[in-house]
Amino acid sequence: MQGGDDDSSYAKNSEAPASAISLCRPLLLTTIESMKIFFRNEEEAESLRVADLGCATGYNTLATVDMVVEALRQRYINQCGFEPEFEAFFSDLPSNDFNSLFRSLSNIGILSDNKRKQYYAAGVPGSFYGRLFPRRKLHVAVSLSALHWLSQIPDGVLDKRSAAWNKGRVWIDGAKKEVVEAYAKQSEKDLEDFLKCRKEEIVQGGMLFLLMGGRPASQQPDNQLSDPDSRAKHPFTTSLDQAWQDLINEGMIDEETRDGFNIPAYMRSTEGGRQ
Amino acid sequence: MQGGDDDSSYAKNSEAPASAISLCRPLLLTTIESMKIFFRNEEEAESLRVADLGCATGYNTLATVDMVVEALRQRYINQCGFEPEFEAFFSDLPSNDFNSLFRSLSNIGILSDNKRKQYYAAGVPGSFYGRLFPRRKLHVAVSLSALHWLSQIPDGVLDKRSAAWNKGRVWIDGAKKEVVEAYAKQSEKDLEDFLKCRKEEIVQGGMLFLLMGGRPASQQPDNQLSDPDSRAKHPFTTSLDQAWQDLINEGMIDEETRDGFNIPAYMRSTEGGRQ
């Protein structure tokens, strides 16, 4: 993901996730309203720990955590008469631009003014397909528009000797059956790993809220982005294959370089997500 | 502080702190050996939380936390028969290069391989003169070669109308009495704020281990770095004033720019540190 905040940065090119995240907010708020109350009085209260998994950088990141913390804070004030302390963990791969993220936190005063501080902020570098937190420590974990990114390009896809070798393509759009199956299998394993890790990390009565790019149950996996209008625009589809082919035709790169590149993303079906 | 890992980076220019930190290791280890055991069995055990305050980036950073975690881990294995989980918090100002720090963590495998992972790592951006963690949550806090950095340039030092205006100088070396006193006062307030915040954050029986640049009790505050040999080399002393003066003489900067620059550092006396 591109760091910083210039025109090519993720922060300035994330309208689609922003829109999906906005749409899911009412559902997230309703879920928080129905959550267990963990501490009835201030003396017993531990800090409440909230994590954003696959947080990236930019406006979306802070807005989600701010909303979760504020909703929980109001509930404790109204129902228990005290304000618990909060820890907010912003997690993403070590290659994420945490420097930018931390600058945003200090720009809005979260780090500099104790009176205005609503949570203690920390960045957690690592893959959410492995453990990121100690046992039974998280009260709320959210992961918004991140779980369609796989932990790796599936085995075989970059291997000439494999039936799943994805020669000439950078993704499963239009690819042969074996490639699509390799992606589907990787996606299934990854989701299992994710859920297993979160099960260990989240306290009893805690909440896991997921929003992920997906496709209708009726739609086959080789048809990841069915809307003809979206297909025309989405960078993962054959327009990217064509761009690579142009580079090859112009002698800018060789075929081997193109064949070594694949996008590790997969849109699960609503049915697959439920299993 | 300069991020990255090129020739001008802090990571490649921190031999002096590295040497001081090496020298204090035996003392740190002895202190850990004498620490309270918090959990006698695995079922009751919470994760042990270790923080490095003013962690910077580079080899020093990881080496200290690794040593603390490993020493505690061995104690729990030997004395209680189980291995607790650890959380390690690397804290520094938001301007610290956390991206580099997190890359180091992933290079040595802490983030990528669950089996080798000895702690869950997080970066905490913020000033240690304010609260960084929730109440009663830290078991070990260390701050090595960081507390001589003040929270701010003392009031008056950059103000033309003040008796403490430090015209023509960038630090207290050779400065007038009022400047030195303003620095001494800031240093005292800062250390108090630091200790007050840590008192709230550290659990009962937890440990705070401090190593800071200082001077002998017998040495007056206007004599911060007495060793004639060090004075000749240390960048804070009059050699830096001379460098600024050269820039002014060559017309590269104006006096106002120089007068607006002061180094927010102060070496406490051993006596002052004890109070």
Side-chain angles (χ1 to χ4, degrees), chain B residues 216-272:
Chain B
S218 58
Q219 197 172 306
Q220 289 307 302
D222 59 341
N223 185 8
Q224 292 264 303
L225 304 160
S226 73
D227 178 8
D229 199 39
S230 303
R231 283 176 77 84
K233 286 186 237 155
H234 201 286
F236 292 177
T237 55
T238 43
S239 52
L240 190 51
D241 288 334
Q242 190 53 57
W244 278 99
Q245 192 58 52
D246 290 348
L247 288 173
I248 292 170
N249 294 345
E250 289 165 22
M252 306 285 280
I253 57 162
D254 55 23
E255 283 203 24
E256 200 155 343
T257 305
R258 186 261 313 275
D259 291 339
F261 177 84
N262 260 259
I263 298 170
Y266 184 85
M267 307 292 152
R268 296 178 184 88
S269 74
T270 41
E271 202 50 46

